[in-house]
Amino acid sequence: MEHVPPPAEELARLDRELAELDARRAQLLTRRAWLLAALRPTVPTAAPGWNPSGWGAPPGAPAQPWGQVPKRPSAPRGAQNVLLTLGGLLLTVAAIAFTLVSWGSMGIGGRSAVLAAVTLGALAAPAVLLRRGLAATAEALAALALVLTLLDVYAVHAVAAPDTDGLGFTALASAVLAALWTAYGLALGKLRLPLPAAVVLVQWPLLFWAWAVGAPAPVVGWALLATAVLDGAIALWGKGAGVRVTACVGGAVMGFSALMVGLALSLTAPGPLGAVAPGVLLLTASAAAVAGAWRAPKGFARTGGAVAGLAAVAAVGGVPAAALPAGWRVLAYLLCGLALTAVVRSRLPGHAARGVLAASGAVVAGALVWALPPLAAVLLGPVTVLSDVWAGTPDGFRSALGSTLPWSELAAAPVVLALVAGLLGAAYRWWPSVVRLAAPLAGPTTADAGPPAAPAAGAPGTDAPGAAGGAAPWPGWTGWSGRPGAGAGGRGRPSAATLRGVVGAGAVALGWGALLLAGALLDVPHALALAGETALVGVLLTLAVRGGGAERGATAMPVTALVASVAGAVSAGLLSLASEGASYAVFGALAALFAGAALRAGAGVPRAVFAVAAVVWGTVITGLAGRSLGLAPHEAAPLMLLVPALTVLLGARLRRNPVALPVELTGVLGALVAVGLAVSDAPFLALVLALCGVLAAGTAVRPERRPVAGYLAAALFVLATWVRLAASEVSFPEAYTLPVTVPALLVGAARRRRDPEASSWTAYGPGLAATLLPSLAVAWTDPDWLRPLLLGTAALVITLLGARHRLQALLLLGGTVLALVGLHELAPYVVQVAGALPRWLPPALAGLLLLVVGATYEQRLRDARRLKDALGRMR
């Protein structure tokens, strides 16, 4: 029921809206006048004193009175900076040239006086320039002063202390210069260069000192770590963005170098005691990273937590790893990485704790990547069996893989996979407890925060005095479940069910891989390996089938089980090709398992995949049967059509079931395999094509498949006829094709009489093609003139009949055959004429033709469209 307000209320509402429109129009006109005044200074001012800065001026722009044009700067700042930079560079080059080239022509007093005077002048000048407001010039002279101090140090070492060790002198000089430039930068706080320069100089004293005294690698690592800690302190408490950024970069470089030194020493330690010293270095680095992450902003806190976690794993895991064989060391690091998950119960800040968890995940991922090569060898190794099918049962699982991996050094791989799979499985089983433990680290979600408050009455952006009950909090709001990614997981985050499904999927995949690797490392007998892989496929299929009824969002586990089951089936099938009996047993079991899964699964993609896989395994069994019977490939081709025939019957049974189409398409692929096997023998190829035509004709009985299967059946029958005639070396195919063509044309005419709207391709196409196309193929190789003459005459008559009765099939088939026959007859003369013409003439004619077509392109396009329309109107 529509509410119609009283006339007085509606009139008042209209008056208010008109007043608002008038006010808005006046505002826009005022803004337009100010813009015109700003663009054309000669325009007279119409509203003096009006200040548009609060209405539409850019943020931070000064208010401009009405009619006043903003003043332009007299000299661009960019040009000034370029000039100052060039001047500073020239002075620097001159100072370097003086120091390196002209230094020897002056006495010791002159050298000292010149250096002292120039350096002091360069250091003092910025203070004077800053008081006069020339900040850019002061920065340029400060940069020159920095270079001069470096040259002073070089000059002192070259003249006053030439015998001093260069590394030690550099360490002392960099420390002195760092202190000097720190004091200088603090004294002249407006300069931006001195303090970052001091931070750069701070990086070198400890490192050069360690090198100067020939310190061992652990001491170098401690020097790098101490420098990184100093950089971290500067980054947290330094003055200015330039200082903090420079300290962050320096700390990252020095800290990474210290970690690499400690890690290298830990990995190459001769025993557990030798790994203690680098472990202490790494633990100290971890503690420093945690201390920095405690006070750092969000992004840096996560990075610090990740660095701390990785350093702790390398430190603690390196001690037991030094006592373990090479193949088991990864397990020590993995256990330490998993122990990092205890951070969820610590008091570490949230972002730093997330970084530690990221480090734990990185360690686990690294261990899994280490275990991937042997798992890939187990899955892909059986491909080598294809080169020698049924060569005999190998001695063990490993010998059937054909891999040269050092299996003794990969003994921990299945343990790593099983350990991670067990932990993921436990997390999947006790998921509510995991969520409760990880809740302190989870950021606030949309679902937890609740809906945003509705705008208050009269607030900007509201059209009504207050929000009515049920009104949307903002325009376009569709509710908490209406946005992608919203809901239980918050804005853009996966839901708890999705996360649990991913965890379960990881447990399934890793557990399956662990069992496969265990069989390879134990080198179990070949028969036991086949039985185990087939049983694993059955378990995975069970998980995939039951996963269809899982809670909403938890689809990762059944999908993973589905993929793993297919991969495992392929691997087991290839492995079984070593012996005949094993091949039949494994592929028969696989076909039964996937067929049963297809029957038990619900509707959807998994059921179709199961059904398709069952058809594939059945097709392989028919191929194996042909090999067992000792048949040649072309002789086994008809046998391969048994499964496609079953798919036709199954499709007729399923009708419009979504699984029907994938199953039938898989049967088509099996038929293509049969055709490929029969290509080497023409009689068998004709037989296979004819049988495929029968299958297509049986499919065409169904109305939903008739449009495609009917034409395919006709084409296959015609093609089978041609191949059979060619195989029999028939020189007069018309004797065989005309008896087919005449009844087919009579049937087509009867069809057209009953149904005038029937297509000419359906009525006359198969019959005409049955004679015209084989005769055309023979005519192109016939040196006599009679066959082309008769075929051309028949094609001309058919073409004229098609044009007279507006039948598309007759017109196109007859015209095409007539054109090809004419081309065949004219080809020798065309070749003769082309040989007699100058070589430049054909390209010239082709170019002229292209020019003509291009110039009349629109007309030719219209002609082509008219021809297309004319053909389309034919039946």
Side-chain angles (χ1 to χ4, degrees):
M1 181 175 179
E2 184 178 358
H3 173 67
V4 179
E9 182 181 347
E10 185 176 2
L11 181 60
R13 182 184 300 175
L14 290 177
D15 290 338
R16 286 196 301 269
E17 291 178 358
L18 289 173
E20 291 174 359
L21 290 175
D22 291 338
R24 178 62 175 166
R25 185 174 184 273
Q27 190 180 22
L28 292 175
L29 288 174
T30 307
R31 177 63 178 172
R32 179 179 180 274
W34 182 84
L35 291 174
L36 289 174
L39 294 175
R40 296 196 300 270
T42 58
V43 175
T45 60
W50 183 73
N51 188 350
S53 60
W55 189 85
Q64 298 292 337
W66 176 256
Q68 180 178 348
V69 181
K71 295 182 178 180
R72 303 179 184 272
S74 58
R77 301 284 297 179
Q80 179 187 11
N81 292 334
V82 169
L83 292 176
L84 291 174
T85 303
L86 289 177
L89 287 176
L90 290 176
L91 289 175
T92 303
V93 171
I96 294 174
F98 169 76
T99 304
L100 297 179
V101 179
S102 302
W103 184 260
S105 61
M106 301 179 64
I108 186 64
R111 300 170 187 173
S112 301
V114 170
L115 276 176
V118 175
T119 304
L120 290 175
L123 289 171
V128 179
L129 293 172
L130 286 175
R131 284 197 297 269
R132 298 191 175 185
L134 303 175
T137 308
E139 291 286 355
L141 287 179
L144 175 62
L146 175 62
V147 176
L148 286 174
T149 53
L150 297 176
L151 292 175
D152 288 339
V153 171
Y154 166 75
V156 169
H157 181 265
V159 176
D163 298 331
T164 307
D165 179 55
L167 291 174
F169 185 84
T170 303
L172 178 62
S174 57
V176 172
L177 287 177
L180 171 65
W181 280 98
T182 300
Y184 187 73
L186 292 175
L188 300 178
K190 294 183 179 181
L191 291 179
R192 291 176 292 181
L193 179 63
L195 290 179
V199 174
V200 174
L201 291 170
V202 163
Q203 311 301 314
W204 311 114
L206 292 178
L207 181 60
F208 279 110
W209 169 80
W211 285 349
V213 299
V219 177
V220 176
W222 282 105
L224 291 170
L225 180 59
T227 306
V229 171
L230 180 58
D231 287 329
I234 296 173
L236 289 174
W237 294 291
K239 179 182 179 182
V243 173
R244 291 193 294 270
V245 171
T246 306
C248 285
V249 174
V253 174
M254 292 298 176
F256 178 77
S257 303
L259 291 175
M260 289 299 101
V261 171
L263 182 61
L265 293 174
S266 178
L267 292 176
T268 57
L273 292 179
V276 172
V280 173
L281 173 63
L282 292 170
L283 277 179
T284 306
S286 176
V290 168
W294 206 286
R295 295 177 175 270
K298 177 174 64 175
F300 291 98
R302 289 183 180 177
T303 304
V307 172
L310 293 175
V313 169
V316 179
V319 176
L324 294 175
W328 291 89
R329 291 183 177 180
V330 66
L331 190 59
Y333 294 106
L334 175 62
L335 292 175
C336 294
L338 293 173
L340 290 179
T341 55
V343 73
V344 299
R345 306 299 295 174
S346 69
R347 296 184 178 180
L348 201 63
H351 295 295
R354 293 189 192 104
V356 175
L357 288 180
S360 175
V363 173
V364 174
L368 296 179
V369 169
W370 174 82
L372 281 182
L375 181 58
V378 172
L379 290 175
L380 302 178
V383 175
T384 57
V385 181
L386 290 175
S387 60
D388 196 5
V389 178
W390 294 352
T393 304
D395 297 332
F397 191 9
R398 238 186 261 172
S399 59
L401 300 178
S403 177
T404 58
L405 288 175
W407 293 101
S408 59
E409 298 180 5
L410 300 171
V415 180
V416 168
L417 295 179
L419 178 60
V420 180
L423 292 175
L424 291 178
Y428 181 82
R429 173 64 180 82
W430 291 284
W431 182 252
S433 301
V434 173
V435 173
R436 186 170 57 255
L437 289 174
L441 295 182
T445 63
T446 308
D448 297 333
T462 58
D463 295 329
W474 60 80
W477 187 77
T478 57
W480 298 110
S481 61
R483 293 179 302 173
R491 188 180 306 168
R493 298 178 183 176
S495 64
T498 302
L499 290 176
R500 186 182 185 188
V502 172
V503 170
V508 169
L510 296 178
W512 169 62
L515 292 175
L516 291 180
L517 269 180
L521 286 166
L522 296 175
D523 198 15
V524 298
H526 184 260
L528 182 59
L530 284 177
E533 286 205 34
T534 307
L536 282 176
V537 171
V539 173
L540 291 171
L541 288 175
T542 302
L543 290 175
V545 170
R546 291 183 177 178
E551 62 269 19
R552 183 180 180 185
T555 58
M557 188 169 69
V559 170
T560 302
L562 173 62
V563 174
S565 65
V566 174
V570 173
S571 179
L574 293 174
L575 194 65
S576 70
L577 294 178
S579 64
E580 184 177 2
S583 299
Y584 283 109
V586 170
F587 279 105
L590 292 177
L593 287 174
F594 278 88
L599 294 175
R600 295 290 301 275
V605 175
R607 187 176 186 184
V609 173
F610 296 145
V612 167
V615 173
V616 171
W617 309 142
T619 305
V620 173
I621 292 174
T622 58
L624 295 176
R627 184 180 178 86
S628 296
L629 295 174
L631 301 177
H634 63 273
E635 295 174 338
L639 187 62
M640 295 286 292
L641 294 177
L642 287 177
V643 174
L646 292 177
T647 60
V648 171
L649 297 176
L650 186 59
R653 172 68 176 169
L654 295 174
R655 289 289 179 178
R656 298 185 182 276
N657 192 297
V659 181
L661 182 59
V663 168
E664 292 178 84
L665 291 178
T666 309
V668 171
L669 293 179
L672 290 177
V673 172
V675 172
L677 292 176
V679 165
S680 59
D681 189 272
F684 271 93
L685 178 60
L687 174 61
V688 170
L689 290 173
L691 293 176
C692 291
V694 172
L695 296 178
T699 306
V701 173
R702 299 162 52 193
E704 67 273 12
R705 299 284 186 262
R706 187 171 301 158
V708 176
Y711 289 109
L712 180 60
L716 288 172
F717 283 132
V718 172
L719 186 58
T721 303
W722 297 345
V723 173
R724 180 67 258 184
L725 294 176
S728 302
E729 299 181 354
V730 174
S731 57
F732 295 99
E734 294 82 4
Y736 299 90
T737 59
L738 283 175
V740 176
T741 295
V742 173
L745 293 178
L746 293 177
V747 171
R751 168 80 183 277
R752 288 273 298 174
R753 186 175 295 109
R754 290 196 309 270
D755 183 13
E757 297 299 324
S759 173
S760 60
W761 288 100
T762 304
Y764 305 118
L768 291 175
T771 294
L772 290 178
L773 298 183
S775 298
L776 179 63
V778 176
W780 267 75
T781 60
D782 191 355
D784 200 3
W785 58 272
L786 181 59
R787 184 188 302 275
L789 177 61
L790 295 176
L791 182 59
T793 302
L796 177 61
V797 172
I798 293 172
T799 304
L800 295 175
L801 289 175
R804 172 69 180 80
H805 296 284
R806 304 179 63 81
L807 298 176
Q808 189 181 99
L810 276 67
L811 181 62
L812 292 181
L813 278 175
T816 302
V817 172
L818 181 61
L820 292 175
V821 171
L823 179 62
H824 173 263
E825 295 302 310
L826 292 176
Y829 304 102
V830 172
V831 172
Q832 266 187 345
V833 172
L837 291 176
R839 293 189 176 182
W840 57 267
L841 189 57
L845 293 176
L848 182 61
L849 177 62
L850 290 176
L851 288 176
V852 172
V853 172
T856 60
Y857 175 75
E858 294 295 336
Q859 181 61 37
R860 302 285 78 77
L861 192 61
R862 286 193 293 270
D863 294 342
R865 288 172 179 167
R866 282 197 294 267
L867 179 60
K868 176 186 175 183
D869 295 340
L871 288 174
R873 287 192 294 269
M874 293 183 177
R875 298 303 302 171

